Amino acid sequence: MSMDYYREGDPVADTKAPDGPIAERWERRRFSGRLVNPANRRKLRVIVVGTGLAGASAAATLGELGYRVANYCFQDSPRRAHSIAAQGGINAAKNYRNDGDSVHRLFYDTVKGGDFRSRESNVHRLAEVSTEIIDQCVAQGVPFAREYGGLLDNRSFGGAQVSRTFYARGQTGQQLLLGAYQALERQVAAGTVEMHTRHEMLELIIVEGRARGIVVRDLVTGEITTEIADAVVLATGGYGNVFFLSTNAKGCNVTASWRAHRQGAYFANPCYTQIHPTCIPQSGDHQSKLTLMSESLRNDGRVWVPKAHGDDREPGDIPEDERDYYLERRYPAFGNLVPRDIASRAAKAVCDEGRGVGPGGLGVYLDFADAIARLGRDAVAAKYGNLFDMYKRITGENPYERPMRIYPAVHYTMGGLWVDYDLQSNIPGLFVTGEANFSDHGANRLGASALMQGLSDGYFVLPNTISDYLADGPFEAVAEDHEAVAAARRDVEDRIAFFLGNDGDRSVDSFHRELGKIMWEYCGMERTDEGLRKAIGLIRDLKDEFYKRVKVTGKAAELNQQLEKAGRVADFFELGELMCIDALHRTESCGGHFRAESQTEDGEALRDDERFSYVAAWEFTEEAPVLHKEALEFEYVKPTQRSYK
Ligand SMILES: Cc1cc2nc3c(=O)[nH]c(=O)nc-3n(C[C@H](O)[C@H](O)[C@H](O)COP(=O)(O)OP(=O)(O)OC[C@H]3O[C@@H](n4cnc5c(N)ncnc54)[C@H](O)[C@@H]3O)c2cc1C
């Protein structure tokens, strides 16, 4: 591998990770971590950026504990954080179904589902805490689906043979977020949390090696202010929008994480992207957003394509024996519920063979005819009604009568800022939670586990671990005119002045769309050495052109969405390049990262444990990124070739 793309630095270690029997590690860490007594908590200030499930749960819990919290989001209400869009459900090892589930099985499924690229200690903690999350949310009044007798209902998600997914129809994220939001608003009313909506964090402030504050822009007035605290928590979500088209909300971006990365926070496994198998196929070039059809639909929907190439008959006219239920055929043990990476690649494979359906042959069927015949239309509507309505509104086709057409799309990013077991980045005082950290999902996240992780981090993990850091505080007061504060602020003002002063002729969106196409083509579902090298060159050229030709209209001191986007797209360029470098250096296939040169004879992902059993934590430098490897050890779930057959 050409070394001019990056250089290798010292390994990085998770010094907070406890050892000993895995089931005792979290308990031991909680006991060994220092506490802050209630009277002292009132003297400590914590910034939480983000009001999604990870941020709202953390801010509410820290407020309840008595810390003084400043909470930020760029939307007009905390309730509009992207978490509101989550559809299918949240996992927990409650074993209410008595179908063989346990904390250990959830732990095992998640380590295996992540293709053995996550930390055992973290994943075990997640599985343990999962059961507490459900109790917490039920106590808040989250209306999880219930069975006729009143008990909480469960369904199955990919990569599991048990039913452990709790859900509220196809609106689980919304209901969970409303629960967290109520807890948050209670603290706002109590005066422990100050809420700042429509504010965007544009820089991290580091004083004497510690994260001490942020620079924010008021998105309505354009005013730039700084906020100083004893610790900063980023719960700013994922960066799937680097691909332009994704199932993420249009506002999702990487700026908070990227600014922290530029200040020294390591970015881990940036190339691990999740491509979700069941999204509504793209309908044309005009499109700026893709829509997810929840994985829960694979509980009852059957995925198929015609057996014959180029068969363009209506689905209802294709007889049963001329259909290929390829997931059931190839993976009989898990069938339609194989994990996302596997289902996505299988869909791409049948479309590449010329057996795809719909416009451009980029689609496969997800068919509910059997489920409707077996359960009745009302029962299917009760489980998935809002998803069916959404599909109908977007495509004009009725999924009760005609199979849905689906195709894989970018959905989630497993990579993110590197954190230790305490969720602290390598910058003291900077904590990262939820999708923004690289966390617990390895190279592929199992469905219904992002909500679990975000709430685990926010309600249970961070509030316990951050006290070990805050026990050394309050830290020395930092004045507004401190050199570090003034420099961070100047950086933000200079960037804004550059964009507004640039004499360009091309819109921000046109650059973003082009960047997204490069990322999807070369760093999407399948990657090759040649393609990634090409992509790095294309991204660098496009970035140069962006700085020469981008046109941002409007002024600084007003609501200016062009300006907001320009800053975000500038950061996406740098991130996109790092993603390609990360993907290029990892010459193995694993999980969501499929490297064409590394596959088994039957086309499955082929890992290279000998060389790549590590987390790739990247350090920013102005020249080339520096790779720090964190070795992964497996004592409880031995890496094997994943099989769902
Ligand atoms: C369509 C869809 C369906 C999904 N369904 C499921 C599901 O059923 N089950 C599941 O487990 N997972 C699901 N996921 C994944 C899951 O929803 C997300 O991973 C999770 O909600 C992320 O939560 P978060 O709190 O980390 O971030 P988000 O909810 O994205 O919140 C980010 C917050 O950070 C704020 N923010 C970001 N940058 C800045 C900045 N610079 N300044 C100020 N504020 C900032 C935003 O305003 C927002 O408040 C789904 C994802 C999608 C796209």
Side-chain angles (χ1 to χ4, degrees), residues 49-237:
V49 188
T51 61
L53 286 174
S57 57
T61 310
L62 293 173
E64 177 88 45
L65 282 167
Y67 295 107
R68 287 183 301 129
V69 179
N71 194 191
Y72 286 85
C73 68
F74 58 71
Q75 290 92 347
D76 57 353
S77 157
R79 288 188 321 257
R80 289 189 182 239
H82 173 57
S83 293
I84 199 95
Q87 300 174 347
I90 176 167
N91 287 332
K94 284 284 201 187
N95 195 28
Y96 284 169
R97 285 294 178 95
N98 199 21
D99 54 1
D101 202 8
S102 62
V103 165
H104 197 81
R105 189 176 295 280
L106 176 53
F107 158 68
Y108 172 87
D109 285 349
T110 308
V111 172
K112 176 184 169 197
D115 218 356
F116 307 95
R117 291 292 174 264
S118 50
R119 293 180 184 143
E120 282 191 335
S121 300
N122 284 53
V123 178
H124 201 279
R125 173 174 69 189
L126 180 65
E128 287 169 51
V129 169
S130 70
T131 58
E132 298 173 52
I133 297 172
I134 300 305
D135 297 342
Q136 162 89 356
C137 296
V138 168
Q140 287 172 341
V142 170
F144 285 121
R146 288 176 185 270
E147 292 176 339
Y148 183 72
L151 301 174
L152 295 186
D153 195 14
N154 287 135
R155 57 189 174 197
S156 302
F157 262 57
Q161 287 170 310
V162 296
S163 283
R164 61 160 77 98
T165 305
F166 294 76
Y167 66 100
R169 237 175 35 156
Q171 300 160 336
T172 316
Q174 179 181 18
Q175 298 307 328
L176 292 172
L177 190 60
L178 290 177
Y181 169 75
Q182 290 172 68
L184 180 62
E185 287 302 306
R186 188 166 155 262
Q187 295 308 316
V188 171
T192 59
V193 176
E194 279 166 28
M195 176 56 67
H196 304 270
T197 58
R198 301 188 96 174
H199 279 73
E200 182 168 23
M201 167 192 165
L202 293 175
E203 203 51 84
L204 177 71
I205 297 172
I206 299 184
V207 180
E208 285 161 14
R210 292 181 193 273
R212 292 300 308 274
I214 58 175
V215 181
V216 290
R217 177 167 180 270
D218 180 327
L219 297 182
V220 180
T221 65
E223 188 189 4
I224 308 287
T225 49
T226 51
E227 173 94 44
I228 299 297
D230 295 288
V232 177
V233 180
L234 297 186
T236 45

Side-chain angles (χ1 to χ4, degrees), residues 212-285:
R212 292 300 308 274
I214 58 175
V215 181
V216 290
R217 177 167 180 270
D218 180 327
L219 297 182
V220 180
T221 65
E223 188 189 4
I224 308 287
T225 49
T226 51
E227 173 94 44
I228 299 297
D230 295 288
V232 177
V233 180
L234 297 186
T236 45
Y239 52 85
N241 279 350
V242 66
F243 291 86
F244 188 71
L245 284 177
S246 86
T247 64
N248 289 11
K250 285 291 289 170
C252 293
N253 68 86
V254 77
T255 287
S257 296
W258 195 257
R259 292 286 127 196
H261 174 57
R262 284 183 134 264
Q263 301 272 2
Y266 294 171
F267 209 113
N269 300 334
C271 79
Y272 287 171
T273 310
Q274 176 155 88
I275 318 271
H276 197 297
T278 58
C279 303
I280 300 181
Q282 195 181 340
S283 64
D285 277 344

Side-chain angles (χ1 to χ4, degrees), residues 426-449:
N426 58 308
I427 300 178
L430 179 69
F431 292 78
V432 192
T433 62
E435 192 173 339
N437 72 23
F438 88 103
S439 101
D440 307 348
H441 309 294
N444 171 59
R445 178 175 69 79
L446 290 184
S449 57

